[in-house]
Amino acid sequence: MRYYRITYCLLPLAIIFYSNNCMSQHKVIYGIKSGVGVWQFMSLKGNPNSGAPLKRSYPLGISFGFYVENILSDNFSLINELTYEYTKAEINIYTGIEGQLNQRVTSQFLDIPVLLKYRTPALWNTYCLIGPGIAILLDANYSYYDHIYSFYKGEVNITKELPTVNIFINIGIGKEFGLLKSNLIIELVGKIGINKNQYKGNLIYYDIGEWKNVGAFILVGLRLR
């Protein structure tokens, strides 16, 4: 791994510890989260070869990490997270030579969202989450396979061709359950990418164009008291 990517990985830790110290007068809670999610291309160009719609599939990705929650009041908290995400986005297109090409981008991110948490006064201890996030791209691979012309297949690393730093807007809902001395947390979080990504293959028929990343994760966490 290149040195500047290591620097990007260490920077979030400094941000989390700094913000935690600045808010040390408030109650601080630590916890862990893990879950699965789906990812897709939000295409800006559609199928570059015809008017036929893109056929999407949704292979599962994974997410796990830890978080620090600063309790600001009875209803509001500020949450810093440090999360590893392994994501897959997949589409099928018609290539213009009567082929049907499956294309997949597999990515690994280090995600650092900062979330404002609002606890609803009712509705069974539910809460809402919203806030920006910075996702550092660690690795990305593009693979392709033609279902008609099965000899056309391959994989290439495209990490250098995509933005290293990605900006996301995170929106979610969650619920806390009492579990012995800890709280069990279940969350549904949507992630909307702001950055434009682009990768072009060697042939014009296999250009997946520009896209933004959009994903949704179901997370289970343990909130330590």
Side-chain angles (χ1 to χ4, degrees):
M1 184 181 295
R2 290 169 290 181
Y3 291 113
Y4 74 90
R5 291 192 183 276
I6 296 176
T7 302
Y8 278 130
C9 293
L10 295 177
L11 182 60
L13 292 173
I15 294 174
I16 290 176
F17 288 133
Y18 175 77
S19 61
N20 187 36
N21 290 333
C22 290
M23 304 186 69
S24 59
Q25 65 271 29
H26 302 288
K27 183 178 179 181
V28 177
I29 295 174
Y30 300 88
I32 55 176
K33 293 181 184 179
S34 181
V36 296
V38 294
W39 210 256
Q40 76 165 41
F41 303 113
M42 187 171 70
S43 178
L44 303 181
K45 289 186 176 181
N47 192 325
N49 305 295
S50 70
L54 299 173
K55 180 182 178 182
R56 302 180 185 273
S57 55
Y58 299 92
L60 289 179
I62 61 172
S63 172
F64 62 86
F66 72 92
Y67 69 93
V68 178
E69 180 177 353
N70 295 277
I71 308 296
L72 305 179
S73 68
D74 291 339
N75 297 109
F76 289 95
S77 296
L78 189 65
I79 299 176
N80 301 101
E81 295 186 4
L82 183 62
T83 304
Y84 168 81
E85 293 176 356
Y86 176 77
T87 66
K88 299 178 181 180
E90 187 171 304
I91 58 173
N92 289 275
I93 69 169
Y94 293 99
T95 64
I97 54 174
E98 299 182 351
Q100 185 179 346
L101 188 71
N102 172 270
Q103 299 180 96
R104 174 183 290 187
V105 174
T106 303
S107 305
Q108 299 180 56
F109 291 98
L110 187 65
D111 192 19
I112 314 103
V114 178
L115 305 172
L116 181 65
K117 176 179 178 180
Y118 172 69
R119 301 176 191 82
T120 57
L123 299 178
W124 308 286
N125 292 326
T126 59
Y127 56 87
C128 303
L129 299 168
I130 188 170
I134 297 175
I136 299 167
L137 180 64
L138 303 178
D139 188 67
N141 287 280
Y142 167 72
S143 60
Y144 54 94
Y145 175 78
D146 197 306
H147 294 279
I148 306 301
Y149 302 97
S150 58
F151 60 85
Y152 191 83
K153 57 184 177 181
E155 182 174 347
V156 60
N157 189 283
I158 60 172
T159 308
K160 294 181 180 180
E161 300 188 39
L162 302 183
T164 300
V165 178
N166 294 259
I167 307 298
F168 288 90
I169 301 299
N170 300 274
I171 302 174
I173 58 174
K175 179 173 171 56
E176 298 176 357
F177 301 86
L179 179 65
L180 299 178
K181 295 183 178 181
S182 302
N183 278 356
L184 179 68
I185 296 172
I186 298 179
E187 295 178 351
L188 175 61
V189 179
K191 304 175 73 65
I192 302 172
I194 304 299
N195 298 68
K196 292 182 181 180
N197 298 268
Q198 185 175 31
Y199 171 68
K200 292 186 176 181
N202 295 326
L203 301 177
I204 188 171
Y205 290 127
Y206 311 132
D207 179 6
I208 60 176
E210 295 180 340
W211 74 92
K212 294 182 180 180
N213 290 314
V214 177
F217 285 86
I218 297 177
L219 302 171
V220 177
L222 196 61
R223 175 181 171 182
L224 307 176
R225 292 180 183 271

